[in-house]
Amino acid sequence: MRFDVITIFPEMMLDSAMYGVTGRAIKQGIVNLSVWNPRNYTSDRHKTVDDRPYGGGPGMVMKYQPLKDAIDNAKDSADARCVKVVYLSPQGRPITQQLLNESVALDQLILVAGRYEGIDERFIEDECEEEWSLGDFVISGGELAALVVIDGVSRLLPGVLGDDESAQQDSHMYGLLDCPHYTRPEVIEGKKVPDVLLSGNHKGIERWRLQQSLGRTWQKRPDLLLNKELTTEQQALLEEFKIELKN
Ligand SMILES: NC(=O)c1ccc(NC2CCCC2)nc1
């Protein structure tokens, strides 16, 4: 899968992406990351990518033409079939696991990272098929949101995470909070690892982990359970969790 980021801070994207899972995915050639700096598509001496907002007001707005030339080059550089252009902004669709799961099917994802007060609306209308958002808050640029998307999608691509890596979520885990994790030593600060995890009883361990995920979701994010059909076994596990909580 290919990611192209339109950004005036190309090093920020490349340097950040080269760590961990995303860095490995790029080295393996499973992920290709290219960055396109609108400043390289300006013709004035100062490489101007922004200008004052019509209607007045504070700050600057990113100009249409440098963005357009950058994105045209990003498109020309890949003969991809399934391409999507996304603008990262607080006005966008919330970035969720479902959105990341859907994006795995794309050949190329072009991510437009704005700076200043934003970008010329006509560019969003003409070039950006979708807008995506990390959440209801403002940050100083779209680059961090772009990195979240790149990380979240990359780890779902086949071959990126080894079989032994924890993020291989089982199907029933989707839409639930994660279970607790423990590692050596067995006792620290007087706190023991739950016995079931030391038992070697894999079915029991799997059952306990699912129960913990169900229970923690019920406690911390009951809203996630509203649109999740629980199997009868899962319902029983959750009920047992609630009873044990009372005792
Ligand atoms: N919630 C978000 O995903 C998000 C994205 C971009 C942004 N700021 C950018 C947008 C245009 C200028 C700075 N703030 C917040």
Side-chain angles (χ1 to χ4, degrees):
M1 180 161 176
R2 182 184 168 112
F3 297 96
D4 293 86
V5 184
I6 313 300
T7 171
I8 60 170
F9 295 130
E11 298 84 358
M12 172 184 174
M13 295 306 303
L14 292 171
D15 294 352
S16 305
M18 289 319 282
Y19 290 88
V21 168
T22 50
R24 208 169 60 215
I26 291 168
K27 282 198 189 77
Q28 288 169 312
I30 300 172
V31 163
N32 178 298
L33 172 61
S34 297
V35 288
W36 306 85
N37 186 347
R39 271 199 212 292
N40 298 340
Y41 302 97
T42 56
S43 44
D44 67 304
R45 200 155 47 96
H46 300 290
K47 296 185 176 295
T48 308
V49 292
D50 62 317
D51 201 341
R52 286 177 293 110
Y54 280 115
M60 303 292 273
V61 175
M62 292 184 80
K63 294 169 66 64
Y64 187 112
Q65 174 269 319
L67 288 166
K68 171 70 172 150
D69 291 351
I71 204 165
D72 284 350
N73 279 272
K75 286 178 178 174
D76 294 349
S77 69
D79 52 355
R81 296 175 309 286
C82 265
V83 190
K84 187 174 279 190
V85 180
V86 173
Y87 177 52
L88 291 313
S89 88
Q91 288 73 42
R93 171 188 170 192
I95 296 168
T96 62
Q97 192 61 48
Q98 185 186 327
L99 183 151
L100 298 174
N101 295 344
E102 290 166 10
S103 305
V104 167
L106 295 169
D107 298 309
Q108 180 181 22
L109 188 52
I110 301 180
L111 300 167
V112 179
R115 282 274 161 174
Y116 307 101
E117 296 308 306
I119 68 179
D120 191 301
E121 187 66 16
R122 292 165 292 185
F123 180 81
I124 301 175
E125 289 166 1
D126 291 353
E127 295 295 329
C128 301
E129 294 158 69
E130 295 184 23
E131 286 190 70
W132 293 354
S133 171
L134 285 176
D136 295 330
F137 49 83
V138 178
I139 50 180
S140 53
E143 285 82 7
L144 290 176
L147 281 166
V148 164
V149 171
I150 291 167
D151 187 306
V153 174
S154 295
R155 61 205 304 281
L156 297 173
L157 295 170
V160 172
L161 289 181
D163 293 341
D164 63 344
E165 298 210 31
S166 62
Q168 298 289 7
Q169 298 273 8
D170 304 339
S171 56
H172 65 245
M173 299 297 273
Y174 273 157
L176 294 177
L177 301 185
D178 201 4
C179 62
H181 300 282
Y182 300 84
T183 189
R184 289 181 294 184
E186 257 186 59
V187 184
I188 187 158
E189 298 288 331
K191 300 167 77 100
K192 253 183 68 40
V193 170
D195 290 333
V196 65
L197 297 180
L198 309 172
S199 67
N201 165 6
H202 299 295
K203 268 214 95 37
I205 291 168
E206 190 181 338
R207 184 180 183 280
W208 179 86
R209 285 175 169 162
L210 175 55
Q211 183 172 53
Q212 288 295 312
S213 287
L214 288 162
R216 284 152 68 114
T217 306
W218 171 72
Q219 287 175 308
K220 298 177 181 178
R221 290 291 309 278
D223 57 297
L224 295 178
L225 291 178
L226 293 179
N227 49 32
K228 184 165 177 74
E229 284 289 304
L230 294 186
T231 65
T232 41
E233 194 231 347
Q234 290 169 347
Q235 283 167 20
L237 280 175
L238 180 52
E239 286 316 307
E240 188 185 283
F241 178 92
K242 293 176 185 178
I243 291 163
E244 279 166 17
L245 211 60
K246 282 200 191 99
N247 300 345

